[in-house]
C-alpha cells in the first residue's frame, strides 16, 4: 500500500472515531460545568423539582429565544438555553421542553404572542459603530393542565435559573401561599385618586410578589383572615388604634408579618409619623392656606412596637458617610449603602436566611431600631449602618410652607455622629410558632424604611447595573432579593433563598483598572474641587447679600419706613446679582466637570489603545520565534546530512 493511501485511510478512521465518540457522549448526557460559579449546572433542589414532575401531571415548557441578540444579552441567552437543555436532559417523560427560535412575523412568533402574550422587546444594539433597534424574544411559558405561568422577557439583570425554577414551582403546586397587604395610607396596592380622577398603579413590589404568591388586599378594620400566610403592613404609623389591635392579635397568635416604619417617606411626605392621618376619600380636600383636614387619630405605634421587643424613635433619620461608589459622590449620606465596610465589618454576617447571599442594599432616609428592654424576644439585626454614621432629627430635615405644606428633605450641615452601628432592619422571634395547641411566639421582620422597596430598585434589578455601558454591572443592589427573602423566610418556604444568592461574578480587567486608577482619582478630585468651589462662591455671594442687609438694618439714622424700603431694594438688587452669580457658577462647574470627564475618557482610551496594540503585536511573537527555531534546526540538520566532500571549500 502506498504511503499516501495509508495516510488517507488513517485520517478517515480518525474522523469516524471522533464522530462516534461525540454521538456516544451526547447519548449518555454526560455534562460538566467548569466555571467558577457553576451557573451552567442546575442545583440539587432544582434537580429534585424536575424529578418530581410525573406523567400524571405533566409540564410543558415553551421557550421562545431569538437567534440574534445584542452583545449585552448574549450571556442571558446562553445561560437560558443551557438551563433549558439541562432540564430537558434530566427530565423524565412528564417534562417536555420546546425551544423555538422565532423570526419576526414568523408562525412561531405569532404563536408566542397569541398563546402566551410573549411579544418581542425592542432592544438597542450598539455594535460595529452602528446603533440599531432589534426585536428580541427571550420569553418562556410553563403549562401544566389548567395552570400557566409566563416569563414575558428575561432582561439582562435577571437570573434565568431562578426565574425558571420559581415559575416551575408555581405551576406545579396546587395552591399558592397568600400574602396579605393591609390597605393603609401608603397605597402600594394601587388606588383610585378621586381628586385627579385617575387610577394610581400598584408598586412593582406587588407584581413581583404575584409571580410566587397570591397577593390579597386586606381591610385594616377587620380581623386578618385565617388563610393569610404572611402579613405585609406598609407604613405602620398610618394606622388607627383599632387597626393596630387587629395586627397585634394576628402577631400574638404566632403568625408571621413584615412591618415597615418609615420616618421620612420620600414617595409621600404626608405619611410621615408626625403628620395627621389622611381623611377618608371624599371627606375633605386640602385648604389653600392651611393643612388638610385630618382623619382619625393615629394609634400608639411606638407602644405597639415595644410590645414586640422593638424600640423606635420616629424622629431619628440615620446616615452613613461611607459611600463605596464614586459615581454617587454627590449622594446625601442619608442614602445608606449597606454592605461590607472598608474596616472589614459585614452587616450580613449574621447568616440569617433573610440576608443570605446579599451583596449590597440601599436604604433611603431610613430610621433606627433598637431592642426594647425587658423582652425575651430575640432581636437579630439584618441591615445596619457602619461606624461612621449617625442621625438627624426629623425637624432638621423638613420645613413647612404656608402654601405647600411639609417640604423636604432638607440636608442640614450639622449632624449627630455615632461610633456604633445603627440597626435599620431586624428580625424578632420569640417562642415557637407551631400550630394549634403549640406555644405562641413571634415571627416578625421590622424595616425602618419603605422607600427601599420603590419601583426604581425593581427596574434596576431587571436591567442590571451597567452604568458606563461596558457590559459589566458596576452596581448590584439587592433590595428586591432582601424583600423576597424576608417574605419566603416568614412563610416558611426557603426553597428559593439559596437560588437567589447564585449570581455571576462580574470580573473586571483589574490591570486596566489599575492603569486608569490615576486618571479616575484625578477626575474624582477635580469634580469634588469644582463642586466645592461652586459651593464656596455661592456662599460668598450669599454673604454679600447678608452684609448689605445687615448694614442697612444697623443704620441708626434711618427710620423704620425708609429702612424697609432700602432693605427691599437692596434685597432685590442683591438677589438679581446672586441669581446671575449662581447661573455663572453653575455653568463654570458644568464646564469644569465636562473638561475633567473628557480628559479622563481620553486617558482611559490611551490605555485601551496601548493594550489593543500590545494584544495585536505580542501574540504572533511566540509563533514567529518558534518558526525561526524550527527553521534553524531544519537548516542545521540539512547541513549535517551533506557529505563533507560536497560542502563549499572542500578539497
Amino acid at each position: 500500500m502506498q504511503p499516501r493511501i495509508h495516510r488517507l485511510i488513517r485520517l478517515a478512521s480518525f474522523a469516524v472515531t471522533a464522530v462516534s465518540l461525540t454521538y456516544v457522549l451526547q447519548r449518555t448526557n454526560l455534562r460538566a460545568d467548569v466555571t467558577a460559579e457553576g451557573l451552567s449546572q442546575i442545583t440539587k433542589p432544582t434537580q429534585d423539582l424536575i424529578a418530581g414532575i410525573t406523567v400524571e401531571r405533566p409540564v410543558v415548557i415553551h421557550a421562545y429565544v431569538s437567534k440574534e441578540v445584542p452583545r449585552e444579552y448574549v450571556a442571558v441567552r446562553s445561560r437560558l438555553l443551557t438551563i433549558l437543555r439541562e432540564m430537558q436532559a434530566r427530565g423524565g417523560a412528564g417534562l417536555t421542553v420546546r425551544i423555538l427560535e422565532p423570526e419576526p412575523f414568523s408562525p412561531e412568533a405569532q404563536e408566542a404572542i397569541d398563546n402566551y402574550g410573549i411579544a418581542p422587546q425592542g432592544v438597542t444594539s450598539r455594535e460595529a459603530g452602528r446603533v440599531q433597534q432589534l426585536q428580541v424574544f427571550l420569553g418562556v411559558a410553563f403549562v401544566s393542565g389548567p395552570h400557566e405561568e409566563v416569563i414575558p422577557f428575561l432582561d439582562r439583570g435577571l437570573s434565568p435559573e431562578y426565574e425558571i425554577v420559581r415559575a416551575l414551582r408555581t405551576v406545579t403546586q396546587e395552591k399558592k401561599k397568600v400574602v396579605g397587604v393591609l390597605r393603609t395610607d401608603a397605597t402600594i396596592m394601587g388606588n383610585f385618586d378621586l381628586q385627579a380622577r385617575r387610577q394610581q398603579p400598584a408598586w412593582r413590589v406587588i407584581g413581583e410578589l404575584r409571580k410566587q404568591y397570591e397577593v390579597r388586599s386586606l381591610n385594616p378594620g377587620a380581623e386578618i383572615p385565617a388563610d393569610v400566610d404572611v402579613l405585609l403592613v406598609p407604613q405602620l404609623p398610618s394606622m388607627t388604634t383599632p387597626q393596630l389591635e387587629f395586627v397585634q392579635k394576628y402577631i400574638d397568635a404566632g403568625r408571621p408579618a413584615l412591618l415597615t416604619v418609615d420616618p421620612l417617606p420620600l414617595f409621600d411626605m404626608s405619611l410621615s409619623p408626625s403628620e395627621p392621618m389622611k381623611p377618608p376619600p371624599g371627606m375633605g380636600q386640602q385648604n389653600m392656606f392651611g393643612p388638610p383636614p385630618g382623619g382619625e387619630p393615629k394609634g400608639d405605634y411606638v407602644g405597639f412596637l415595644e410590645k414586640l421587643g422593638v424600640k423606635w424613635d420616629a424622629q431619628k433619620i440615620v446616615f452613613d458617610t461611607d459611600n463605596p461608589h464614586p459615581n454617587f459622590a454627590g449622594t446625601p449620606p442619608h442614602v445608606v449603602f449597606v454592605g461590607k465596610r472598608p474596616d472589614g465589618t459585614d452587616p450580613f454576617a449574621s447568616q440569617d436566611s433573610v440576608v443570605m447571599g446579599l451583596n449590597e442594599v440601599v436604604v433611603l432616609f431610613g430610621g433606627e431600631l433598637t431592642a426594647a428592654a425587658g423582652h425575651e424576644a430575640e432581636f437579630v439585626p439584618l441591615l445596619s449602618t457602619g461606624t461612621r454614621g449617625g442621625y438627624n432629627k426629623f425637624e432638621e430635615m423638613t420645613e413647612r410652607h404656608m402654601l405647600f405644606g411639609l417640604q423636604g428633605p432638607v440636608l442640614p450641615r450639622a449632624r449627630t455622629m455615632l461610633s456604633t452601628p445603627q440597626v435599620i432592619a431586624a428580625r424578632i422571634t420569640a417562642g415557637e410558632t407551631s400550630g394549634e395547641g403549640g406555644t405562641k411566639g413571634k415571627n416578625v421582620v421590622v424595616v425602618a424604611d419603605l422607600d427601599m422597596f420603590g419601583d426604581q430598585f425593581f427596574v434596576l434589578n431587571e436591567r442590571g447595573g451597567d452604568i458606563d455601558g461596558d457590559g459589566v454591572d458596576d452596581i448590584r443592589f439587592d433590595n428586591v432579593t432582601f424583600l423576597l427573602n424576608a417574605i419566603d423566610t416568614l412563610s416558611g418556604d426557603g426553597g428559593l433563598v439559596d437560588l437567589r444568592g447564585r449570581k455571576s461574578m462580574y470580573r473586571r480587567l483589574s490591570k486596566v483598572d489599575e492603569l486608569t486608577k490615576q486618571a479616575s482619582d484625578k477626575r474624582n478630585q477635580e469634580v469634588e474641587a469644582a463642586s466645592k468651589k461652586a459651593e464656596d462662591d455661592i456662599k460668598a455671594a450669599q454673604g454679600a447679600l447678608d452684609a448689605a442687609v445687615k448694614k442697612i438694618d444697623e443704620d441708626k439714622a434711618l427710620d423704620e419706613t425708609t429702612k424697609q424700603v432700602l432693605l427691599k431694594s437692596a434685597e432685590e438688587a442683591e438677589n438679581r446679582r446672586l441669581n446671575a452669580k449662581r447661573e455663572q457658577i453653575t455653568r463654570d462647574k458644568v464646564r469644569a466637570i465636562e473638561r475633567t470627564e473628557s480628559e479622563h475618557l481620553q486617558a482611559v482610551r490611551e490605555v485601551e489603545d496601548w493594550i489593543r496594540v500590545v494584544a495585536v503585536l505580542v501574540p504572533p511573537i511566540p509563533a514567529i520565534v518558534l518558526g525561526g527555531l524550527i527553521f534553524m534546526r531544519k537548516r542545521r540538520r540539512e547541513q549535517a546530512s551533506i557529505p563533507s566532500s560536497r560542502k563549499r571549500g572542500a578539497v
Side-chain angles (χ1 to χ4, degrees):
M1 185 180 296
Q2 295 182 2
R4 181 176 298 178
I5 298 176
H6 180 72
R7 286 194 295 269
L8 182 62
I9 293 174
R10 290 175 62 184
L11 179 62
S13 302
F14 178 77
V16 171
T17 303
V19 172
S20 302
L21 288 175
T22 302
Y23 178 76
V24 170
L25 291 175
Q26 286 181 339
R27 296 293 295 177
T28 55
N29 288 327
L30 292 177
R31 286 170 171 77
D33 184 3
V34 296
T35 60
E37 292 85 13
L39 297 179
S40 295
Q41 61 182 345
I42 56 179
T43 59
K44 184 62 167 60
T46 304
Q47 297 176 18
D48 296 339
L49 178 63
I50 295 171
I53 299 175
T54 61
V55 180
E56 289 74 18
R57 188 173 178 180
V59 176
V60 181
I61 301 177
H62 308 269
Y64 301 91
V65 185
S66 297
K67 282 185 179 180
E68 300 293 333
V69 297
R71 179 173 57 90
E72 295 83 0
Y73 288 85
V74 170
V76 178
R77 180 183 184 275
S78 175
R79 287 200 297 269
L80 172 61
L81 293 178
T82 299
I83 297 299
L84 290 173
R85 288 167 181 157
E86 188 74 11
M87 296 174 67
Q88 187 177 28
R90 292 180 178 272
L95 180 63
T96 303
V97 181
R98 294 177 64 231
I99 301 177
L100 306 174
E101 296 180 333
E103 298 290 339
F105 309 108
S106 64
E108 293 84 1
Q110 199 62 40
E111 172 191 322
I113 296 172
D114 294 341
N115 295 348
Y116 308 109
I118 298 177
Q121 300 290 321
V123 180
T124 303
S125 174
R126 299 178 178 86
E127 296 183 13
R130 295 182 304 171
V131 179
Q132 56 180 338
Q133 193 81 359
L134 299 181
Q135 297 298 317
V136 175
F137 280 94
L138 280 176
V140 188
F142 302 79
V143 181
S144 178
H147 302 283
E148 180 180 299
E149 289 292 327
V150 177
I151 304 174
F153 187 77
L154 270 169
D155 223 321
R156 66 178 303 269
L158 301 177
S159 167
E161 183 183 3
Y162 167 70
E163 296 294 332
I164 288 173
V165 171
R166 178 168 63 172
L168 194 60
R169 282 166 52 97
T170 303
V171 82
T172 53
Q173 62 186 5
E174 291 294 337
K175 185 179 182 299
K176 294 181 179 180
K177 289 191 174 184
V178 179
V179 174
V181 182
L182 282 181
R183 292 195 301 271
T184 64
D185 288 341
T187 54
I188 68 173
M189 288 285 290
N191 187 35
F192 185 79
D193 191 340
L194 293 175
Q195 186 175 1
R197 297 186 180 277
R198 62 183 179 86
Q199 180 68 32
Q200 296 176 344
W203 287 22
R204 293 286 296 273
V205 59
I206 301 301
E208 191 70 21
L209 289 173
R210 280 176 174 153
K211 295 178 182 179
Q212 186 176 344
Y213 296 95
E214 176 189 343
V215 181
R216 190 182 302 170
S217 178
L218 302 180
N219 179 11
E223 288 195 13
I224 313 299
D227 61 343
V228 171
D229 297 287
V230 180
L231 179 66
L232 174 59
V233 182
Q235 196 59 349
L236 184 76
S238 60
M239 300 186 71
T240 62
T241 298
Q243 294 169 353
L244 288 177
E245 290 176 353
F246 288 122
V247 178
Q248 185 73 57
K249 182 179 179 181
Y250 170 91
I251 294 175
D252 288 343
R255 301 170 68 184
L258 173 61
L259 313 178
T260 62
V261 288
D262 195 334
L264 187 65
L266 301 178
F267 65 94
D268 189 349
M269 294 283 293
S270 64
L271 299 184
S272 301
S274 61
E275 299 303 289
M277 289 278 288
K278 289 187 175 182
M283 295 298 292
Q285 303 295 334
Q286 181 170 349
N287 300 322
M288 180 174 295
F289 299 103
E296 298 182 52
K298 287 188 175 183
D300 183 13
Y301 50 85
V302 175
F304 174 89
L305 291 173
E306 288 190 356
K307 290 180 182 179
L308 295 180
V310 179
K311 187 177 180 181
W312 177 54
D313 186 351
Q315 296 298 314
K316 286 185 179 181
I317 300 167
V318 302
F319 68 86
D320 193 337
T321 56
D322 279 332
N323 184 346
H325 302 286
N327 293 320
F328 299 149
T331 304
H334 301 83
V335 177
V336 180
F337 299 94
V338 182
K340 193 169 183 179
R341 308 290 177 182
D343 57 4
T345 57
D346 188 357
F348 304 136
S350 66
Q351 296 302 314
D352 191 281
S353 57
V354 177
V355 296
M356 186 177 296
L358 298 188
N359 179 64
E360 189 174 28
V361 174
V362 182
V363 179
L364 307 177
F365 296 82
E368 179 189 12
L369 305 174
T370 57
H375 285 268
E376 297 181 357
E378 184 180 3
F379 183 91
V380 180
L382 300 176
L383 304 176
S384 59
T385 65
T387 56
R388 298 177 57 190
Y391 67 89
N392 280 108
K393 290 290 188 177
F394 180 82
E395 304 84 27
E396 299 172 343
M397 303 192 64
T398 56
E399 56 185 20
R400 296 187 181 276
H401 194 277
M402 184 179 65
L403 297 180
F404 305 111
L406 186 67
Q407 299 293 304
V410 178
L411 301 181
R413 294 186 177 275
R415 307 188 189 107
T416 302
M417 299 293 298
L418 297 175
S419 58
T420 56
Q422 301 163 90
V423 178
I424 305 172
R427 186 178 180 186
I428 295 89
T429 56
E432 298 181 0
T433 56
S434 56
E436 293 297 327
T439 303
K440 303 303 181 183
K442 292 183 177 62
N443 186 18
V444 181
V445 171
V446 182
V447 183
D449 186 30
L450 185 55
D451 297 304
M452 63 179 291
F453 302 134
D455 290 355
Q456 67 271 27
F457 294 107
F458 287 83
V459 174
L460 187 63
N461 180 65
E462 292 176 355
R463 299 180 182 177
D466 183 9
I467 296 178
D468 50 15
D470 61 355
V472 178
D473 279 359
D474 303 284
I475 56 175
R476 179 182 284 162
F477 298 147
D478 294 324
N479 292 39
V480 176
T481 303
F482 173 79
L483 171 67
L484 297 179
N485 283 357
I487 296 292
D488 285 1
T489 302
L490 291 170
S491 68
D493 182 10
L496 293 174
V497 173
D498 291 338
L499 200 55
R500 290 193 193 101
R502 297 187 73 215
K503 299 174 183 177
S504 57
M505 298 293 294
Y506 292 98
R507 296 176 176 84
R508 301 191 65 88
L509 299 176
S510 56
K511 188 63 177 177
V512 176
D513 290 341
E514 182 182 343
L515 293 173
T516 59
K517 183 177 185 302
Q518 184 177 358
S520 300
D521 292 343
K522 181 181 178 182
R523 176 195 58 178
N524 295 334
Q525 291 172 3
E526 291 184 357
V527 168
E528 184 178 353
S531 301
K532 188 176 185 304
K533 182 178 183 302
E535 184 179 348
D536 292 342
D537 289 345
I538 292 176
K539 194 183 300 182
Q542 182 68 45
L545 171 61
D546 296 339
V549 171
K550 183 179 180 181
K551 181 179 179 181
I552 296 174
D553 190 52
E554 293 178 350
D555 192 345
K556 303 298 183 181
L558 300 176
D559 59 82
E560 288 299 324
T561 303
T562 306
K563 189 178 292 186
Q564 291 298 326
V565 172
L566 292 177
L567 282 174
K568 185 176 181 180
S569 177
E571 284 183 358
E572 291 178 353
E574 292 296 335
N575 276 326
R576 284 195 297 269
R577 295 193 193 97
L578 179 59
N579 292 332
K581 185 69 173 177
R582 278 177 175 163
E583 293 179 3
Q584 181 63 36
I585 291 170
T586 303
R587 286 195 295 268
D588 294 342
K589 175 184 173 181
V590 170
R591 280 198 296 267
I593 292 176
E594 288 178 349
R595 183 177 65 255
T596 301
E597 292 288 350
S598 177
E599 293 174 355
H600 172 260
L601 184 60
Q602 182 179 354
V604 172
R605 284 177 176 171
E606 289 176 357
V607 173
E608 291 175 347
D609 291 341
W610 177 78
I611 293 176
R612 192 176 293 112
V613 171
V614 172
V616 172
L617 297 180
V618 170
I621 292 178
I624 294 173
V625 172
L626 181 61
L629 293 175
I630 293 174
F631 177 76
M632 294 173 60
R633 181 171 177 269
K634 184 177 180 180
R635 291 285 295 176
R636 284 198 302 268
R637 293 180 63 181
E638 289 177 352
Q639 290 290 335
S641 64
I642 298 175
S644 301
S645 60
R646 296 183 57 186
K647 292 182 179 179
R648 182 180 301 176
V651 179

